[in-house]
Amino acid sequence: MAAVAVSSPSKPATGESSGPKVAKRLQSELMSLMMSGDEGVSAFPDGDNLFHWVGTVKGADGTVYEGLEYKLSLTFPTSYPYSAPTVKFVTPCFHPNVDQYGNICLDILKDKWSAIYNVSTILISIRSLLGEPNNDSPLNGYAAALWDNQTEYRAVNVKKFAEGTA
Amino acid sequence: MALEAAGTVGTGAEAEALFSAYARAIADEALPPQRARDVWSGLLEVLEAKRGCDDEAGVVVGSVIEATGKIVGLFEAVATALDTLAAALGITPEAAESRQTAALAGLQAALQVALPHTLFEEVMAVVYKEALLVFGLSVVCRDDDDEEYDDEDDDAENDDEDEAATSAGSAVLGLDSLTQLMHQLSVLGLAQASVSVVTQLLYRVVEAHILSQAKGEFEEAWLDELIRWMEADVAVAVEAVVKGCGNATVAHLRERLWFHMYEAFGELRIRELFDIIVDFPDSAPAVEDLRRALARTWQHERLVDVLSAAFDKRLLHLGANTVDILGQYVSSIKVLTRLDPSGVMLDSVSHGIRNYLKNREDTIRCVVTSLTDPSPTSLLGGELVSASGPTGSGVGGGRGGGAANEDYDNWTPAPLESGALSATTTAPAARTDILAMLVNIYGSQELFVSEYKVLLASKLLAITDYNTDDQVRNSELLKLRFGESSMQPAEVMLKDLADSKRINAYVHSHEGGGDNELVVSGTVISRLFWPPLKEVNFQLPPAMAAQMETYAKAFHSLKTPRTLSFLPNLGSVSLTLEFDDTELEVTVSPLLATIISYFDAKTAAAVGGASIAVDGTVTWPARALAKVVGIDVALLRKQMVYWLAASVVVDAGDECYASVSVLGDAPSSSAGGAGGMDADSGVASLEDQKAEEMRVYQSYVNGMLGNLGALPAERIHNMLKMFVANSGYTASLNELISFLNTLVRKEELAFADGMYSLPK
């Protein structure tokens, strides 16, 4: 919270001229993302708009999401990186912290956001969230309840995934 | 009838008025308007009859003399009659004369009206052409190939020219008859009327003379010769031929002729300027002539147009070698700076060349190569030394600072003559600095320096005795020009060589001797400072590998903690191949040496996979050999071409290569040099590096296709343009498509229905 409090006063100051700077930041993020070649996560601007990206997260090996691939949408505000982008699952995701509309409950996208995060860290966080859900405050109670039984969870998950992507 | 009345009249004014009336009457009677036509009819008939045949100028002139003679006779008769009348009337000669002139002027006018204008000019052209011939002035160019020049002249002239061509040799008029003719013409007032004809004729005389004398002759100064000719021959002819026209006309005509002479000469030289530049510096006199002509005629703009067009047509196309273009550009710079020290023309002309050169891929390489070429014939060899000598302010540092400020006292505005053309201006200091102009084609010296690095790297790698004196000299000279900092990599590269020499001496002194004598000499390079080097990985023969290892160990002990990693494909190997009948010494690349080593019966037996005949010849299937060497078959085949050409190995058919036991004497010439080394400089060229840069975008393409699904090439192109940071993406759509297609061939991408996607 402190980080947001400190950085928010600077928002109005950057207001008008923030466009090019944000674009530049997003471009350089894209560059580093492309160059890093991280396995499992990637993202790219959707169409002509640099402020709207499509991300891809692959389920990590050894988790119930292994072999499944989820698309996400990332929308950046003009005040980025001082405020967090809006990130949603486009591919329906059966997960304790993801609701039926694809909204994600992840602290770094909400109150723990800081300007030092970037697209790459967001996607990596989401990828690890898949394998390690926070079952204390679930958006999807059924998934949270099922989590303890990994075999059954996997079966339901694969079924839901097939339904979602069909 | 008039005379009868004359006696009755008495005095002064009345008598004069009467004289006037009688004078008119007498004149009219002598040549009534309808008769004026008749006077010419004889001449017209001759002209009509002779129009078809061109060789009858003499007849035409003859009949002109005859006809004009007749009329002049009439004129004189009239004049005599009037004189008598005046005497009879008692009028003073002065008063009579003015009236007499008036009466005769009426006659002249009638005559000219009677003669059709075009016909008149035609006749006068013939007449004056003949007249000029008397003075040895011909309108016909004695040079045969003047077509080019004629193109833009009026077409009508061609007929006349042919006409005169045959009579050019011998004059049909004698000096006497000429004098007579000219007198008659001026009496009839025809001389004055034909000034324009004469002027045109004289223009053509001058043009023809210039063409026949000076065309294509660049090694002598012709302008002085022409001036002499104008002052002597032409001046005399003009004097004689147009005397009748009055002094003012003659003076004016002479002025125009002089200007026309300069203009025609300038035009000729401007058209030839491209060839003059080709011949430079042998054509220096022609350049000087042109400079003098330009000073009078201000044909600068024309020069820029013509020369630019000539460059476009003759030089700036795919058929011309970059070296030639550069050579021509350098000569152009020299020539144009002589013609116009202010450099405005040079700017205007060189714009096109520079733009063209910018698009040529090998421009920089050519500049660098010729710059560092020690041979005296090289294009720019001397340039480096001379240009960076005393002035040596350097392109990067000194320019625009001190040099520009120093002579602001002598600043003159840019000449106006090509003002409209001088959209680009070069700093005055750089104008005569040819090397700087070449380097600045690209706007910066960065590319130039990196190309030099590539060149230097391949040169240094080819050196086997660590002798870098030439290269050190070159690099010192370049350093004067480009500044210390940008040449630093080159400095490091040269130092690497010097260090290598020491390291090599150390390694040999410590590891040499014993039964396993060290035959390897290494060049140790600092990778960060060298341009990217081509790497081909293959298995060295065991004996060599052991040697390398020894070397590497010795290096490690000298330079702990550094270790050596070898680039086995670079360097060279001196081999002696022994055959039953002879020995062959060659210097080849390590890869070639490795390949041939496996054709040694003992080695082949140790490795296995080859069939060895009783006589010791070894036969390798291509596949097996490639596997042993550790390269792919395609590369092996490419390498084998060298040994096949040297007849050391023969193609045994069925994808097999066999060694020979007897070499014979056939290949002595082909295998003599270090042929295997030629094309492989070992240094990745700038194009290769560019292809490498393209690889960067592969990850973007992957990212795009991975997230957005299949996309057409245009979309990928646009997205790359939009999203690659700092607009580093400069490839064209076609370049992208060819790059994408290579990825498809490598099965790293899939292509269907015009869309690219990631393979499943």
Side-chain angles (χ1 to χ4, degrees):
Chain A
M1 197 62 203
V4 180
V6 170
S7 58
S8 50
S10 69
K11 259 192 288 176
T14 52
E16 276 295 295
S17 62
S18 66
K21 270 188 194 160
V22 179
K24 206 162 184 188
R25 153 106 184 198
L26 287 173
Q27 263 188 351
S28 72
E29 276 198 29
L30 180 62
M31 170 77 104
S32 60
L33 193 62
M34 290 297 107
M35 292 305 125
S36 68
D38 264 337
E39 272 299 308
V41 299
S42 83
F44 206 84
D46 181 17
D48 300 344
N49 189 353
L50 192 57
F51 289 82
H52 190 87
W53 289 26
V54 173
T56 308
V57 171
K58 286 180 184 155
D61 292 352
T63 70
V64 284
Y65 292 93
E66 183 177 339
L68 305 182
E69 196 175 287
Y70 295 91
K71 292 262 186 264
L72 299 98
S73 76
L74 296 89
T75 309
F76 298 91
T78 45
S79 50
Y80 183 80
Y82 299 110
S83 12
T86 311
V87 184
K88 280 185 177 186
F89 272 97
V90 175
T91 315
C93 179
F94 181 68
H95 188 273
N97 302 113
V98 179
D99 71 11
Q100 54 180 322
Y101 306 108
N103 295 319
I104 308 164
C105 180
L106 183 61
D107 53 354
I108 65 158
L109 290 175
K110 302 273 168 2
D111 52 343
K112 291 277 166 52
W113 171 255
S114 145
I116 61 160
Y117 292 131
N118 57 33
V119 178
S120 174
T121 54
I122 292 169
L123 292 176
I124 289 170
S125 303
I126 291 176
R127 189 170 185 233
S128 58
L129 180 71
L130 286 181
E132 296 155 18
N134 178 3
N135 285 325
D136 298 338
S137 58
L139 288 172
N140 184 334
Y142 176 44
L146 203 59
W147 182 258
D148 288 334
N149 187 345
Q150 289 282 293
T151 327
E152 196 176 336
Y153 188 97
R154 167 82 188 171
V156 174
N157 189 29
V158 170
K159 187 162 154 267
K160 292 256 182 197
F161 183 82
E163 281 170 9
T165 53
Chain B
M1 42 154 191
L3 291 174
E4 287 159 58
T8 60
V9 178
T11 57
E14 276 180 29
E16 284 186 22
L18 194 60
F19 177 75
S20 276
Y22 280 118
R24 178 103 12 100
I26 291 173
D28 279 351
E29 191 179 332
L31 193 70
Q34 66 270 28
R35 263 196 68 197
R37 200 175 298 275
D38 296 346
V39 172
W40 293 118
S41 63
L43 178 61
L44 290 178
E45 268 168 35
V46 173
L47 279 178
E48 283 302 324
K50 301 302 178 195
R51 181 165 280 188
C53 31
D54 298 330
D55 55 345
E56 297 297 342
V59 178
V60 173
V61 174
S63 46
V64 169
I65 293 180
E66 197 189 325
T68 53
K70 248 192 255 168
I71 303 168
V72 166
L74 263 174
F75 266 60
E76 278 165 359
V78 170
T80 319
L82 286 176
D83 278 348
T84 325
L85 178 64
L89 287 172
I91 295 170
T92 56
E94 293 81 35
E97 194 170 325
S98 64
R99 294 193 158 65
Q100 197 174 325
T101 317
L104 288 178
L107 268 184
Q108 288 174 348
L111 277 172
Q112 282 174 23
V113 169
L115 190 63
H117 183 70
T118 49
L119 188 66
F120 169 73
E121 297 215 321
E122 194 179 318
V123 170
M124 285 303 126
V126 175
V127 169
Y128 278 103
K129 205 183 287 175
E130 292 305 321
L132 291 173
L133 266 182
V134 174
F135 296 96
L137 302 180
S138 166
V139 294
V140 182
C141 175
R142 289 184 195 93
D143 202 329
D144 284 332
D145 52 5
D146 59 343
E147 282 159 25
E148 186 191 337
Y149 195 72
D150 278 339
D151 287 346
E152 292 187 7
D153 289 348
D154 50 335
D155 292 338
E157 153 191 345
N158 290 335
D159 310 328
D160 299 340
E161 211 150 276
D162 299 338
E163 193 176 303
T166 42
S167 54
S170 58
V172 290
L173 279 168
L175 195 56
D176 291 344
S177 49
L178 174 77
T179 321
Q180 191 201 340
L181 175 64
M182 289 304 140
H183 173 68
Q184 289 171 1
L185 286 176
S186 71
V187 167
L188 297 182
L190 292 175
Q192 190 73 42
S194 52
V195 165
S196 70
V197 176
V198 176
T199 313
Q200 289 304 321
L201 267 179
L202 281 169
Y203 281 0
R204 280 164 55 194
V205 165
V206 170
E207 283 164 10
H209 182 78
I210 291 174
L211 268 186
S212 64
Q213 295 293 310
K215 187 173 191 215
E217 302 286 337
F218 305 144
E219 294 180 25
E220 280 174 63
W222 277 101
L223 199 56
D224 288 326
E225 183 70 35
L226 285 172
I227 290 172
R228 262 197 300 284
W229 175 74
M230 287 289 288
E231 280 170 350
D233 301 11
V234 178
V236 170
V238 167
E239 188 67 30
V241 174
V242 284
K243 198 164 45 181
C245 306
N247 282 338
T249 317
V250 173
H252 183 62
L253 176 62
R254 201 174 287 149
E255 280 300 306
R256 288 175 66 186
L257 261 186
W258 271 102
F259 185 77
H260 189 74
M261 188 275 284
Y262 279 109
E263 204 174 47
F265 183 71
E267 175 71 19
L268 172 70
R269 283 292 184 250
I270 286 173
R271 282 158 176 275
E272 292 173 325
L273 189 54
F274 188 88
D275 299 303
I276 293 178
I277 292 174
V278 171
D279 286 356
F280 195 81
D282 289 344
S283 59
V287 176
E288 177 60 19
D289 280 353
L290 179 56
R291 190 188 63 75
R292 288 171 59 191
L294 284 180
R296 284 177 175 256
T297 60
W298 297 107
Q299 291 162 301
H300 294 78
E301 207 157 329
R302 168 99 180 124
L303 184 146
V304 169
D305 289 348
V306 171
L307 188 59
S308 302
F311 275 136
D312 285 345
K313 189 173 159 199
R314 296 178 62 178
L315 192 66
L316 304 181
H317 52 71
L318 288 177
N321 288 327
T322 307
V323 183
D324 296 338
I325 298 179
L326 278 175
Q328 185 74 355
Y329 182 40
V330 169
S331 298
S332 305
I333 294 174
K334 289 178 184 161
V335 168
L336 289 175
T337 349
R338 281 195 185 200
L339 289 179
D340 168 31
S342 72
V344 176
M345 278 203 304
L346 177 58
D347 275 353
S348 314
V349 174
S350 61
H351 197 64
I353 307 184
R354 293 161 72 94
N355 277 343
Y356 183 82
L357 281 175
K358 210 184 286 185
N359 294 330
R360 281 243 172 173
E361 282 178 355
D362 53 347
T363 302
I364 303 187
R365 194 170 330 134
C366 281
V367 173
V368 175
T369 312
S370 52
L371 201 56
T372 51
D373 184 358
S375 77
T377 55
S378 120
L379 187 64
L380 294 163
E383 212 50 55
L384 188 55
V385 185
S386 61
S388 51
T391 57
S393 57
V395 179
R399 221 185 85 192
N405 287 336
E406 267 164 34
D407 46 60
Y408 69 81
D409 283 341
N410 299 323
W411 182 83
T412 44
L416 288 171
E417 71 270 20
S418 35
L421 298 161
S422 61
T424 59
T425 46
T426 318
R431 271 188 187 134
T432 48
D433 188 345
I434 291 170
L435 185 54
M437 293 197 73
L438 288 175
V439 172
N440 286 340
I441 288 176
Y442 287 85
S444 83
Q445 48 179 310
E446 220 167 86
L447 275 169
F448 190 87
V449 171
S450 66
E451 183 68 56
Y452 174 70
K453 264 168 61 186
V454 171
L455 183 84
L456 181 66
S458 62
K459 284 211 166 143
L460 290 181
L461 287 176
I463 290 173
T464 51
D465 57 359
Y466 303 107
N467 181 0
T468 57
D469 290 356
D470 288 346
Q471 302 306 327
V472 170
R473 177 178 161 278
N474 275 335
S475 110
E476 289 294 330
L477 287 173
L478 286 172
K479 214 189 292 175
L480 283 176
R481 179 161 281 279
F482 296 123
E484 195 90 16
S485 57
S486 56
M487 290 298 288
Q488 199 198 1
E491 189 79 340
V492 174
M493 287 160 73
L494 288 166
K495 190 161 180 302
D496 277 347
L497 260 276
D499 287 348
S500 298
K501 185 178 182 179
R502 233 173 313 122
I503 293 167
N504 197 53
Y506 170 85
V507 170
H508 277 256
S509 68
H510 281 72
E511 299 295 328
D515 50 324
N516 188 14
E517 200 193 337
L518 203 56
V519 295
V520 177
S521 295
T523 301
V524 182
I525 64 173
S526 317
R527 169 152 248 167
L528 278 179
F529 292 90
W530 285 63
L533 300 167
K534 276 183 199 152
E535 268 189 79
V536 180
N537 284 318
F538 60 92
Q539 292 293 314
L540 286 165
M544 283 313 299
Q547 287 250 340
M548 300 268 229
E549 202 160 312
T550 319
Y551 199 98
K553 258 186 210 148
F555 176 84
H556 184 66
S557 71
L558 176 66
K559 294 265 182 185
T560 319
R562 283 180 251 178
T563 52
L564 273 186
S565 84
F566 281 97
L567 294 171
N569 57 315
L570 304 177
S572 63
V573 179
S574 300
L575 282 179
T576 307
L577 302 176
E578 293 177 7
F579 300 90
D580 288 354
D581 56 341
T582 179
E583 288 186 353
L584 180 65
E585 282 195 25
V586 286
T587 303
V588 295
S589 74
L591 180 53
L592 279 173
T594 306
I595 291 171
I596 204 63
S597 74
Y598 288 110
F599 283 93
D600 177 52
K602 240 192 278 169
T603 321
V607 179
S611 50
I612 301 156
V614 212
D615 62 352
T617 59
V618 181
T619 307
W620 277 97
R623 241 164 242 293
L625 183 55
K627 199 174 166 210
V628 169
V629 181
I631 55 178
D632 58 32
V633 182
L635 180 59
L636 177 77
R637 276 200 209 104
K638 221 158 97 189
Q639 298 290 321
M640 287 312 285
V641 170
Y642 175 77
W643 290 122
L644 287 171
S647 304
V648 172
V649 171
V650 292
D651 192 342
D654 200 23
E655 294 255 316
C656 285
Y657 298 104
S659 62
V660 296
S661 56
V662 178
L663 184 60
D665 45 18
S668 54
S669 60
S670 66
M677 314 266 301
D678 51 7
D680 262 352
S681 70
V683 184
S685 66
L686 279 188
E687 286 105 89
D688 290 350
Q689 293 178 33
K690 199 173 176 187
E692 195 52 43
E693 277 164 29
M694 205 67 193
R695 309 276 318 170
V696 172
Y697 304 120
Q698 191 183 352
S699 53
Y700 273 85
V701 173
N702 285 342
M704 232 181 271
L705 300 178
N707 289 297
L708 307 179
L711 294 171
E714 290 79 18
R715 188 85 192 282
I716 299 177
H717 183 60
N718 287 336
M719 295 235 262
L720 284 175
K721 269 201 296 203
M722 209 173 326
F723 296 134
V724 174
N726 309 323
S727 299
Y729 177 76
T730 52
S732 67
L733 178 59
N734 282 335
E735 279 171 323
L736 175 71
I737 290 178
S738 76
F739 173 65
L740 290 177
N741 288 342
T742 43
L743 292 182
V744 171
R745 272 197 295 282
K746 288 187 204 160
E747 298 184 350
E748 289 173 26
L749 285 185
F751 180 74
D753 299 335
M755 311 271 267
Y756 292 90
S757 57
L758 292 179
K760 297 284 172 206

